[in-house]
Amino acid sequence: INNLSKMLAVGGLFITINKKVALRCEREQSIVYSFDDDTIVKDSVSISQLALEETPNRYKIGYIDPGQGWTEIKVLCEDLENQAERDGKIIEKDVSLAGCTSQQQALRVARLYRDLNKTCSIYISFAVATEGMMLEAGDVVEVTYGGIFTKMPFRITEIDETNTGTYQLTCRQYNSTIYNDNLGATISMPNYAVTQSPYTRTPPMVNSLLAVENTSLNNGTIRIGIDITWDNTVY
């Protein structure tokens, strides 16, 4: 299985086993389901982030070059911005792509590794009920959770059925813009943090406030009545 995984890595492919063995691809795809506090099992959520020291900022990817006597040639892909942020510290990862004979494809895989680490560093695990029956590893879902983030997309990396009849989903943050090979394509970093105002619409405007004395007593306390006129045109 390790040798097969190395071969499949050339095309960003991976195997999933649910009711049948399937071949999936690390690519842009549509969201298949949305989860929120109502569909996530209570107290089942854990969130983590890829540690900085575990994130390479230089990749050396090996491919087999037929023009060089079928020897392995290394291509280099660096995250110069990250290197500058770390004061020039370089964390290198060396990868050999079994069966890859294209320099261009080796560079594409290198950029995919780099951009996944750069933009998809958040991991989440949570349990769901019967909604998990329709899902497979590789599917993309969006998660709204506990006032922390809203509609953040994640790719499912693993699904485990528990002995309580629920399904534990392990997911990695997903960014659709890293799969664009067009010249000059940019990577966007959407903000999924919950930043919405407590008001769902503009509060009504008050035209006039008139305080008038109310001589009635309530438990010995004089109460002040307020006459308010609402302007409903902006409500």
Side-chain angles (χ1 to χ4, degrees):
I1 190 66
N2 289 334
N3 290 335
L4 183 58
S5 296
K6 290 178 182 178
M7 293 171 62
L8 295 176
V10 176
L13 306 172
F14 55 94
I15 290 177
T16 64
I17 303 176
N18 193 357
K19 294 181 180 179
K20 59 182 179 180
V21 178
L23 190 63
R24 305 295 299 271
C25 183
E26 180 71 50
R27 61 178 178 83
E28 181 182 1
Q29 61 187 90
S30 302
I31 293 170
V32 300
Y33 204 88
S34 298
F35 291 101
D36 55 24
D37 291 339
D38 293 330
T39 50
I40 295 174
V41 176
K42 185 179 179 181
D43 300 327
S44 69
V45 178
S46 63
I47 301 174
S48 61
Q49 190 163 15
L50 191 65
L52 187 63
E53 59 270 15
E54 297 176 7
T55 309
N57 52 25
R58 172 186 287 173
Y59 284 94
K60 295 175 69 175
I61 307 295
Y63 73 100
I64 304 301
D65 190 345
Q68 300 292 328
W70 299 92
T71 57
E72 185 180 61
I73 306 296
K74 297 286 187 180
V75 296
L76 195 64
C77 180
E78 300 192 76
D79 187 345
L80 299 177
E81 181 182 5
N82 184 267
Q83 292 175 13
E85 291 173 354
R86 299 188 194 186
D87 298 324
K89 182 179 179 180
I90 295 176
I91 299 178
E92 187 174 281
K93 185 169 183 177
D94 201 312
V95 179
S96 293
L97 296 178
C100 181
T101 58
S102 166
Q103 183 188 66
Q104 183 179 6
Q105 182 62 14
L107 284 169
R108 291 180 71 242
V109 174
R111 289 193 294 268
L112 177 62
Y113 285 154
R114 179 198 63 190
D115 296 340
L116 274 172
N117 284 335
K118 191 177 183 69
T119 69
C120 303
S121 62
I122 298 176
Y123 291 81
I124 187 171
S125 178
F126 58 94
V128 299
T130 54
E131 298 89 352
M133 295 178 64
M134 59 168 284
L135 301 173
E136 294 182 351
D139 286 342
V140 176
V141 298
E142 63 180 15
V143 180
T144 299
Y145 175 67
I148 300 175
F149 46 74
T150 178
K151 295 185 176 180
M152 180 181 284
F154 289 90
R155 187 186 296 278
I156 301 173
T157 59
E158 186 177 347
I159 303 177
D160 292 317
E161 187 174 1
T162 69
N163 54 13
T164 60
T166 62
Y167 295 83
Q168 190 74 26
L169 308 184
T170 302
C171 313
R172 181 177 186 171
Q173 188 178 359
Y174 167 82
N175 187 328
S176 62
T177 63
I178 68 174
Y179 305 105
N180 192 341
D181 285 335
N182 293 332
L183 183 64
T186 58
I187 296 176
S188 63
M189 297 285 289
N191 180 15
Y192 299 103
V194 177
T195 57
Q196 65 184 21
S197 166
Y199 294 106
T200 57
R201 54 183 174 175
T202 304
M205 181 182 297
V206 178
N207 260 353
S208 61
L209 277 156
L210 177 63
V212 294
E213 182 178 354
N214 188 334
T215 57
S216 64
L217 297 178
N218 184 9
N219 296 327
T221 302
I222 297 179
R223 300 179 61 84
I224 300 297
I226 298 180
D227 181 19
I228 299 175
T229 303
W230 301 99
D231 182 355
N232 291 321
T233 60
V234 296
Y235 188 63

